Amino acid sequence: MKATNLLFIPALAVLTLSGCKSKKATPVQKETGAVEITVPFSSKEYRSDENAFRAKQTGKSPDLATAKKIAFQNARAEMASNINATVKRVTDQYTNQRTVGNTQEFENKFEELAREVVNMEMSNVKEIGEKIFKEPDGSFSYWIAIEADKKTVFDKIDSKISSDAKLKLDYDKQKFQQVFDAEMKKLAEEGR
């Protein structure tokens, strides 16, 4: 009986130890059928930061040239929206921090000039990346990443304000630059 006990103890130890092995988690794919999709241009260098506004978009069409046009148009629209939103926040903060004669008139005129600048700047965006995919149905997916330099946008806004006699009266370039830079820093932290 003692020999049986001696064999039983090591066998029990082996079974116990093998039962304690950590189980590997099964990937979500196997459980749900979900597949992770990698979006082109998702890394940090393709997001807006303190120095540049950036946008990425896609276009899909049976024709490659059309897919590219759609992607570029979508990216420009996204960037214009981001620039407009940033300039709006800058304008609001700037007018709240300054004593401006007619605040509402200043804000309206300022935003109108900013829209003009954004429209002009959209023709000067720089392409920083492109990827083309041939879809199973034969169509093309075209991804594009674009960029607009913060300094160029600011300089154009500054130039427009400086050339408007009414706005120039209530304009402090250094203060505006400070608020603009702070908003760009926030944009970078948000990772848009």
Side-chain angles (χ1 to χ4, degrees):
M1 198 88 175
K2 288 184 182 184
T4 313
N5 284 342
L6 290 175
L7 289 175
F8 180 69
I9 292 173
L12 183 61
V14 168
L15 287 174
T16 305
L17 290 175
S18 65
C20 293
K21 281 187 182 176
S22 64
K23 293 183 181 178
K24 289 186 179 179
T26 54
V28 174
Q29 284 178 304
K30 289 183 181 177
E31 292 177 12
T32 66
V35 177
E36 181 180 355
I37 297 174
T38 304
V39 178
F41 310 121
S42 294
S43 56
K44 189 175 181 176
E45 66 266 19
Y46 296 106
R47 294 185 195 133
S48 295
D49 60 24
E50 294 177 30
N51 302 310
F53 292 95
R54 294 187 184 92
K56 66 177 180 304
Q57 278 295 326
T58 185
K60 184 177 178 182
S61 174
D63 177 59
L64 180 58
T66 304
K68 183 175 182 173
K69 282 181 193 174
I70 293 168
F72 194 67
Q73 186 176 19
N74 290 344
R76 286 171 34 126
E78 180 182 323
M79 182 179 288
S81 175
N82 289 343
I83 294 172
N84 278 326
T86 301
V87 170
K88 171 77 171 123
R89 287 190 307 270
V90 170
T91 304
D92 291 346
Q93 287 181 34
Y94 177 78
T95 54
N96 287 335
Q97 294 176 16
R98 301 267 310 143
T99 304
V100 175
N102 182 343
T103 304
Q104 189 60 48
E105 181 183 348
F106 180 84
E107 286 181 5
N108 291 341
K109 185 69 174 165
F110 199 95
E111 287 174 25
E112 183 182 313
L113 288 176
R115 276 192 298 277
E116 284 179 37
V117 167
V118 169
N119 289 338
M120 287 178 357
E121 185 54 33
M122 288 302 99
S123 62
N124 295 324
V125 297
K126 182 174 91 173
E127 185 179 310
I128 57 172
E130 71 175 350
K131 290 191 179 194
I132 304 166
F133 300 94
K134 179 88 170 184
E135 299 292 337
D137 64 1
S139 65
F140 296 94
S141 288
Y142 186 94
W143 284 84
I144 190 166
I146 59 174
E147 161 181 279
D149 181 57
K150 174 198 91 167
K151 183 178 178 344
T152 304
V153 172
F154 177 83
D155 289 346
K156 286 183 180 177
I157 292 171
D158 178 57
S159 174
K160 282 284 194 183
I161 294 168
S162 296
S163 65
D164 185 292
K166 272 189 171 182
L167 287 179
K168 194 174 180 178
L169 291 173
D170 293 315
Y171 180 59
D172 176 349
K173 181 180 178 176
Q174 285 183 320
K175 186 64 178 172
F176 184 76
Q177 175 90 50
Q178 262 183 333
V179 176
F180 193 84
D181 289 345
E183 277 303 311
M184 288 300 291
K185 188 172 183 176
K186 284 183 196 172
L187 191 63
E189 289 167 0
E190 293 170 5
R192 283 194 234 166

